[in-house]
Amino acid sequence: GAGVSQSPRYKVAKRGQDVALRCDPISGHVSLFWYQQALGQGPEFLTYFQNEAQLDKSGLPSDRFFAERPEGSVSTLKIQRTQQEDSAVYLCASSNRDRGNTIYFGEGSWLTVV
Amino acid sequence: GNSVTQMEGPVTLSEEAFLTINCTYTATGYPSLFWYVQYPGEGLQLLLKATKADDKGSNKGFEATYRKETTSFHLEKGSVQVSDSAVYFCTPTQGGSEKLVFGKGTKLTVNP
């Protein structure tokens, strides 16, 4: 596609519900990133894929957070048993991997846990 | 790991004023440097970048020069417009990877 596409754009979840956020990277992009952005803050790194391999998941805040990219293109970020502190914008980004290459961000999935 | 320090916001300017947003970074290795902009309700967009020392990135009237000796990448624009109102993020890559490290950003408001 023309850009990084994320869905849903907005999600309201009741505390304790599971949510799944989808990311469609730019076609052919090898690298895929997930970031979490709380209101008024900068994005915080969650995890990184190169093709289908999850090379870095050091930013995932707890074992309730899980990400996958089984075929090396579309990725899903899953949050189990959501809590209020999970309320944030979840940003997906992709790139061609080379150092210095532009990383393109999607518009984000806005999650509110009530 | 790498980190970034940006000048505290919010910054409020009148249209056609000169803009400087300071950015310094700490890094192991040789990071690439980026400025991203986030308009209200939107995702991050790349504004400009520099991948080696003394490189100057420029776009839409904005400029920043990669200064290795001072570990800085200050953003400048000679004459801001109301449409430049946004949050600006200076981001180095992390180590030898592509991973971006973000600070809190600087919110810019330009008044007519």
Side-chain angles (χ1 to χ4, degrees):
Chain A
V4 178
S5 177
Q6 293 187 245
S7 62
R9 285 295 317 280
Y10 303 95
K11 175 71 178 177
V12 178
K14 291 186 178 177
R15 192 167 50 182
Q17 261 187 324
D18 296 349
V19 299
L21 307 176
R22 176 189 168 103
C23 173
D24 261 294
I26 293 172
S27 178
H29 276 190
V30 170
S31 298
L32 186 144
F33 305 82
W34 283 99
Y35 283 81
Q36 180 191 58
Q37 187 175 19
L39 192 64
Q41 302 296 314
E44 298 274 351
F45 171 80
L46 293 178
T47 187
Y48 162 60
F49 291 85
Q50 194 176 106
N51 296 306
E52 69 277 5
Q54 190 174 20
L55 299 186
D56 186 344
K57 54 182 180 179
S58 61
L60 295 176
S62 77
D63 59 7
R64 297 186 296 104
F65 286 71
F66 172 76
E68 59 183 7
R69 194 186 185 197
E71 296 177 357
S73 55
V74 171
S75 177
T76 304
L77 176 67
K78 297 179 180 177
I79 309 173
Q80 296 177 323
R81 305 181 303 282
T82 53
Q83 299 177 6
Q84 280 193 313
E85 60 261 32
D86 299 334
S87 296
V89 180
Y90 291 85
L91 296 169
C92 179
S94 71
S95 83
N96 269 331
R97 181 186 169 216
D98 291 341
R99 184 178 165 277
N101 267 12
T102 299
I103 294 178
Y104 295 89
F105 283 82
E107 294 196 333
S109 289
W110 296 63
L111 173 65
T112 302
V113 181
V114 297
Chain B
N2 295 358
S3 64
V4 63
T5 302
Q6 278 180 244
M7 64 187 286
E8 291 274 334
V11 173
T12 303
L13 296 173
S14 297
E15 206 165 22
E16 299 183 2
F18 184 85
L19 169 72
T20 300
I21 300 178
N22 290 335
C23 169
T24 57
Y25 64 91
T26 58
T28 53
Y30 206 165
S32 296
L33 301 173
F34 301 82
W35 276 98
Y36 277 84
V37 59
Q38 190 170 37
Y39 297 102
E42 298 185 15
L44 290 157
Q45 300 175 26
L46 178 70
L47 181 59
L48 52 83
K49 69 179 183 181
T51 57
K52 60 183 188 296
D54 301 324
D55 264 2
K56 178 186 281 189
S58 61
N59 185 27
K60 299 181 181 179
F62 290 89
E63 292 184 340
T65 301
Y66 191 145
R67 300 289 187 201
K68 191 170 188 293
E69 64 278 9
T70 55
T71 62
S72 66
F73 193 52
H74 305 319
L75 183 69
E76 296 183 335
K77 185 173 185 181
S79 175
V80 293
Q81 306 300 312
V82 172
S83 58
D84 295 327
S85 298
V87 181
Y88 292 81
F89 293 93
C90 176
T91 71
T93 48
Q94 176 75 45
S97 76
E98 298 176 83
K99 187 167 80 176
L100 296 175
V101 180
F102 289 91
K104 290 186 177 180
T106 302
K107 183 175 181 179
L108 170 67
T109 301
V110 180
N111 294 320

